[in-house]
Amino acid sequence: MSKLPYEVQSEPVQPLSVLSLEGDVVNPDFMPKLSDEQLKEIMYRMVFTRTWDERAVNLGRQGRLGFYAPVSGQEASMIGSEYALNKDDFVCPGYRDMPQIVWHGLPLYQAFLYSRGHQHGGQIPEGVNVLMPQIIIGAQILHATGIAMAFKKKGEKRVAITYTGDGGSSEGDFYEGMNFAGAFKLPVIYVVQNNGYAITTPFEKQTAALSIAHKAVAAGIRGVQVDGMDVLAVIKAVSDAAERGRSGEGATLIEMLTYRFRPHSMSDDTSKYRTKDEESEWALKDPLTRFGKYLEKKGLWTDEDTARVKEEAKAAVNEQIKKAEAAEKMTVAGLIDSMFEHTPAHLEEQKADFQ
Amino acid sequence: MAQMNMKEAIRDAMRAELKNDPNVLVFGEDVGKVGGVFRATEGLQGEFGAERVFDTPLAESAIAGLAVGMGTQGFRPIAEIQFVGFIYEALDQMFVQAARMRFRSGGRYHAPIVFRTPFGGGVKAAELHTDSLEGLAIQTPGMKVIVPSNPYDAKGLLISAIRDNDPVFFMEHLNLYHAFRQEVPEDAYTVPIGKANVVREGSDVTIIAYGLMVHTALKAADELEKKGVKAEVIDLRTLMPLDIDTIVASIQKTNRAIVVQEAQKTSGAAAEIIAQINEKAILHLEAPVLRVAGPDTVYPFAQIEDAWLPGPARIMAAADKVVNF
Ligand SMILES: Cc1ncc(C[n+]2csc(CCOP(=O)(O)OP(=O)(O)O)c2C)c(N)n1
């Protein structure tokens, strides 16, 4: 069948990466400018986060944490993307994106409090530019869009970044947000961490699109696809997007190809929907191994460094979970008082039943 | 003082607050140049510029979500949802994201947003343009709900809503936009949220209503008077928070009450009001409190709208029942 002249053409996109699986630079053009200290800091954060994730899963099993979504495998995408921002940029996370907001300034014990269902977990300290994690998939995409509009209106050179998964990219709010950002040329970065599954639903069943990055085309914003297991590629893509946002060029959609090594949350059984082959194939791309090899070759990192950071992380997690456990319990009266700025009479009355 | 209809009073409230506070913004579908499908925002873009009064793409969830995001950054959005039936598209952003912002963030963020929307029947509009969805809103913790019945209140209540640091669902009855004119001060003034108004004094039965139904109730009260029944009429003005004290004070006087709403009968504002009357005034009642409401069907097509909506005759019949119980 001959192609109509006005048919929209779409080509598959190639994910951008900087490092090979052996930790060699294969795409020097895409190499972000980072000092040795910065490179080590990034590795520190990834190892710390991996350890924290392992501990969090155990703490969950012991009943010391509540809802928790594991992140192992996604460290490059999470830590790299946050690292590429300034502290006054604004992060609107989904439920899995705790590492980004913690590295952006949320104290770790508050992340644990959030998981334990305590309101103070979401009480972000002044000067920390994040929202609490969003449970409704896609809702945060619109908040980031609004925040970006606020920055633009105030003439501030700040960007908002928001995260969702491949599943989240099917939500209406995703399209509405990107379309607004296109129409108003807003400084916002939409990151889709495509980890292959929405709970158990595989990417092939999520969309027939050639890639999620393609979806930017319809909104008139820039779309890129990045190897989300390669922290340097992630940093480069997000820095570029932030630069575009700051200089008034508008929004970017970044699809990060990544993988979560653990189940969706603490309760599902991955063997029901994934194969061992697939898991071992992705294990080869482990962002810690790959970036670690690069640093080792540069003489910037050793196994001892990894062991030291792990110990530090374990100690920090222990201390912070204890702090969370020691926090004063919420009360129903306090909850009632958090509904409105001034508690109305009918709620004052309801409060009396709980005092 | 100027004579204004309710639409002009609403516009005047927005104008006053756009002038007072640089953080106030107005946005929604078609609200800019043309001033909205009802011209409620007419002239505001010309006066305050397209940075502060602007059209958005057609997407209700994004309109409401944009307001939430901007609200966290110090802006005070007035987001217009073009017609009430379209709030379903935005329910998550309005009733979850905005209404929970203060709670979820332990008070760190709030959502100082007014969601304005026209609603209300009797105008033969298209499907889903006129439904009374206040019952959904009052079931939403964290959301205030206002339904003005006249131009003076509309301006004062809207200014209160814009200045309020919590989200407000502000419902404007379509049949009241142009219904009549009233003296409305040109300056900014407020009518407090959560205070009902006794619009007619009486001693035999209390008729509790809001929005257009206040006027229907007043018509019924005129007719009842001819039959020797003196009805007191309360205009609630605000459904959340509800001014139960004014209701109870009236029932202590009349010992009988009827609640009138356009919405379907079951589980709405009227049901809530009666529950609260039971809690606070049952010993003052000489008869059960009755509801006059739409039946529990979807809002009908225009042909039978007038029969479906509560009119004076149904209110009188209910009054007859409670007075002669
Ligand atoms: C609006 C909404 N629908 C459904 C859910 C339930 N749910 C939670 S996570 C999830 C899958 C999300 O997958 P994806 O966006 O790919 O993110 P990932 O968990 O893989 O990081 C679903 C269906 C929800 N939280 N919100």
Side-chain angles (χ1 to χ4, degrees):
Chain A
M1 207 171 76
S2 69
K3 289 214 160 112
L4 296 170
Y6 45 81
E7 186 173 314
V8 174
Q9 305 290 328
S10 245
E11 307 291 336
V13 296
Q14 269 299 317
L16 276 161
S17 48
V18 173
L19 296 177
S20 71
L21 295 188
E22 293 314 309
D24 298 315
V25 176
V26 290
N27 187 356
D29 292 347
F30 213 63
M31 183 76 185
K33 287 189 188 61
L34 294 163
S35 69
D36 287 352
E37 279 317 302
Q38 287 177 311
L39 292 170
K40 284 198 281 187
E41 173 67 18
I42 293 157
M43 187 64 183
Y44 176 92
R45 291 185 181 193
M46 294 210 293
V47 175
F48 189 108
T49 305
R50 174 74 54 96
T51 311
W52 153 24
D53 189 57
E54 281 160 5
R55 289 287 296 130
V57 170
N58 284 333
L59 288 168
R61 289 198 184 112
Q62 295 164 25
R64 292 171 75 189
L65 281 184
F67 171 77
Y68 178 77
V71 302
S72 288
Q74 297 189 211
E75 293 91 343
S77 150
M78 292 175 162
I79 280 125
S81 59
E82 191 282 330
Y83 197 80
L85 302 172
N86 296 336
K87 280 292 165 229
D88 69 351
D89 292 332
F90 210 104
V91 183
C92 298
Y95 51 84
R96 201 182 296 281
D97 303 308
M98 209 44 116
Q100 295 95 308
I101 61 174
V102 166
W103 291 114
H104 212 60
L106 179 73
L108 189 54
Y109 86 94
Q110 281 191 270
F112 292 150
L113 273 177
Y114 177 86
S115 173
R116 290 165 60 84
H118 195 302
Q119 209 171 17
H120 181 62
Q123 201 176 357
I124 313 294
E126 284 293 334
V128 177
N129 294 300
V130 308
L131 289 182
M132 47 282 176
Q134 181 54 244
I135 293 299
I136 296 300
I137 293 172
Q140 72 277 18
I141 293 170
L142 298 177
H143 305 159
T145 309
I147 289 166
M149 182 179 266
F151 293 161
K152 183 170 173 165
K153 286 209 179 295
K154 293 185 199 172
E156 294 173 353
K157 297 244 169 281
R158 299 165 73 184
V159 301
I161 190 167
T162 184
Y163 298 86
T164 192
D166 39 312
S169 73
S170 298
E171 285 281 357
D173 282 356
F174 175 74
Y175 299 94
E176 294 193 21
M178 288 201 304
N179 189 54
F180 266 48
F184 291 112
K185 233 175 191 221
L186 301 178
V188 56
I189 305 169
Y190 303 105
V191 173
V192 175
Q193 300 189 74
N194 181 354
N195 61 18
Y197 294 91
I199 308 188
T200 67
T201 305
F203 182 64
E204 313 82 78
K205 292 200 176 145
Q206 197 62 243
T207 177
L210 289 172
S211 79
I212 289 172
H214 275 94
K215 299 190 180 199
V217 175
I221 68 173
R222 183 162 179 248
V224 292
Q225 194 185 55
V226 179
D227 179 343
M229 305 298 263
D230 179 348
V231 73
L232 295 176
V234 169
I235 291 174
K236 172 70 174 156
V238 177
S239 312
D240 285 357
E243 194 44 47
R244 293 186 72 238
R246 274 186 250 287
S247 60
E249 289 170 66
T252 306
L253 166 65
I254 304 175
E255 176 183 12
M256 314 259 195
L257 298 184
T258 181
Y259 199 73
R260 57 175 160 79
F261 292 154
R262 291 179 187 280
H264 161 74
S265 62
M266 314 260 268
S267 51
D268 63 307
D269 172 5
T270 51
S271 70
K272 295 241 166 74
Y273 58 95
R274 303 200 305 210
T275 63
K276 281 268 160 276
D277 282 355
E278 176 188 297
E279 287 180 357
S280 28
E281 197 182 310
W282 277 97
L284 295 176
K285 300 183 184 164
D286 188 328
L288 271 63
T289 318
R290 188 163 168 193
F291 188 55
K293 282 183 185 163
Y294 167 75
L295 293 184
E296 274 168 36
K297 286 181 196 175
K298 282 176 77 88
L300 295 175
W301 199 264
T302 63
D303 287 347
E304 288 78 68
D305 290 317
T306 299
R308 173 182 50 83
V309 178
K310 278 189 170 169
E311 287 314 308
E312 266 182 55
K314 273 185 206 157
V317 169
N318 281 345
E319 184 201 331
Q320 299 280 309
I321 184 79
K322 281 196 194 122
K323 188 167 174 188
E325 285 168 339
E328 207 179 316
K329 288 223 155 42
M330 281 175 71
T331 62
V332 176
L335 167 65
I336 288 175
D337 276 335
S338 70
M339 295 316 303
F340 295 103
E341 181 179 30
H342 305 292
T343 302
H346 73 285
L347 279 176
E348 284 295 350
E349 219 175 274
Q350 291 176 23
K351 210 161 82 184
D353 294 344
F354 295 94
Q355 272 164 342
Chain B
M1 256 194 274
Q3 290 275 327
M4 291 185 201
N5 63 27
M6 197 172 93
K7 179 186 76 183
E8 290 159 352
I10 285 167
R11 180 195 298 149
D12 212 47
M14 288 188 272
R15 178 185 294 124
E17 290 309 281
L18 279 161
K19 215 181 266 175
N20 270 342
D21 183 346
N23 291 315
V24 172
L25 302 170
V26 174
F27 54 81
E29 292 157 17
D30 309 299
V31 300
K33 204 163 189 176
V34 56
V37 287
F38 293 102
R39 312 283 181 270
T41 55
E42 192 168 38
L44 297 181
Q45 188 178 68
E47 196 172 340
F48 298 99
E51 276 296 307
R52 298 192 57 205
V53 180
F54 57 91
D55 292 330
T56 64
L58 202 167
E60 288 73 19
S61 186
I63 291 168
L66 194 79
V68 174
M70 298 200 80
T72 66
Q73 301 306 304
F75 285 98
R76 308 186 79 82
I78 305 171
E80 181 176 301
I81 303 293
Q82 200 160 53
F83 283 99
V84 73
F86 314 154
I87 70 163
Y88 290 111
E89 299 288 331
L91 280 190
D92 173 53
Q93 291 296 336
M94 292 174 63
F95 290 3
V96 179
Q97 306 303 331
R100 280 173 188 238
M101 186 55 89
R102 188 179 291 281
F103 154 70
R104 294 191 73 230
S105 67
R108 171 68 170 85
Y109 300 111
H110 59 279
I113 303 164
V114 183
F115 297 105
R116 286 184 45 240
T117 191
F119 84 107
V123 292
K124 313 271 188 291
E127 197 179 6
L128 284 162
H129 283 56
T130 43
D131 301 48
S132 296
L133 302 182
E134 64 276 12
L136 296 177
I138 61 172
Q139 258 238 317
T140 301
M143 186 69 121
K144 294 182 180 175
V145 183
I146 296 177
V147 191
S149 73
N150 61 65
Y152 178 88
D153 282 359
K155 179 170 172 183
L157 285 165
L158 183 50
I159 291 178
S160 292
I162 297 167
R163 293 180 186 177
D164 200 287
N165 278 334
D166 290 304
V168 177
F169 187 40
F170 195 89
M171 302 178 70
E172 302 165 6
H173 201 290
L174 282 169
N175 237 337
L176 288 174
Y177 272 148
H178 306 113
F180 59 96
R181 289 178 181 276
Q182 208 180 27
E183 297 265 289
V184 173
E186 262 144 78
D187 292 338
Y189 62 92
T190 57
V191 170
I193 296 174
K195 273 266 158 282
N197 193 13
V198 179
V199 288
R200 180 192 172 108
E201 305 250 356
S203 51
D204 299 332
V205 58
T206 301
I207 307 179
I208 300 156
Y210 54 95
L212 181 73
M213 286 298 117
V214 172
H215 302 280
T216 311
L218 285 170
K219 275 186 207 139
D222 284 345
E223 292 301 313
L224 286 167
E225 175 122 45
K226 290 180 198 156
K227 298 185 173 184
V229 176
K230 291 194 176 67
E232 177 144 309
V233 178
I234 296 179
D235 176 357
L236 291 174
R237 299 199 284 210
T238 305
L239 295 177
M240 178 61 70
L242 180 76
D243 183 3
I244 189 68
D245 293 348
T246 296
I247 296 171
V248 168
S250 176
I251 288 173
Q252 283 172 349
K253 195 165 69 172
T254 63
N255 309 114
R256 292 174 166 83
I258 300 164
V259 190
V260 189
Q261 67 176 22
E262 279 188 42
Q264 291 82 346
K265 191 168 188 176
T266 300
S267 302
E272 172 57 29
I273 291 160
I274 294 170
Q276 291 198 32
I277 292 171
N278 276 336
E279 286 168 4
K280 308 246 157 139
I282 195 151
L283 293 179
H284 295 284
L285 290 174
E286 298 287 348
V289 182
L290 296 186
R291 279 175 287 184
V292 180
D296 288 341
T297 68
V298 294
Y299 194 92
F301 289 120
Q303 212 168 57
I304 54 164
E305 200 176 26
D306 292 339
W308 192 92
L309 289 165
R314 279 166 62 194
I315 298 176
M316 287 170 67
D320 210 46
K321 269 193 196 158
V322 296
V323 171
N324 299 308
F325 181 72

